[in-house]
Amino acid sequence: MAESIQEGDMVFVADGEDGIGSVRRVLAGGDVLVVYIENGGDFEIPLGAVRAVHSGKVVLNLDHLPTPVLEAIGYARKSEYPH
């Protein structure tokens, strides 16, 4: 990764989309991130599921995420659109 991932970096599923959460921690060894996903809580994300890191943004690769994380991402923006 050209830039290192920092606590507080915003997390996205694609450039240009709204953020879905933020990095809470980078676990020892740097191979796993703890990411807070809006309306879903904290999830451990393997570094291999990160597509890109730039400008304080972490972009995930959906193809490398486990089902519970994908489901949480699907609900991340639900509270903003209650109808």
Side-chain angles (χ1 to χ4, degrees):
M1 304 272 147
E3 292 185 38
S4 63
I5 297 171
Q6 304 292 322
E7 292 179 11
D9 284 354
M10 290 296 298
V11 176
F12 299 82
V13 295
D15 278 326
E17 295 286 326
D18 289 333
I20 53 126
S22 63
V23 176
R24 292 262 203 214
R25 285 187 309 275
V26 179
L27 297 181
D31 293 336
V32 176
L33 308 174
V34 176
V35 171
Y36 170 75
I37 297 176
E38 293 178 22
N39 296 321
D42 290 341
F43 293 87
E44 290 188 4
I45 307 288
L47 195 58
V50 174
R51 179 185 309 264
V53 179
H54 58 86
S55 307
K57 298 177 183 178
V58 176
V59 182
L60 300 177
N61 183 340
L62 296 178
D63 294 334
H64 295 350
L65 295 172
T67 301
V69 175
L70 293 171
E71 289 172 351
I73 288 170
Y75 290 108
R77 316 271 340 148
K78 284 279 190 198
S79 67
E80 294 179 14
Y81 308 104
H83 302 297

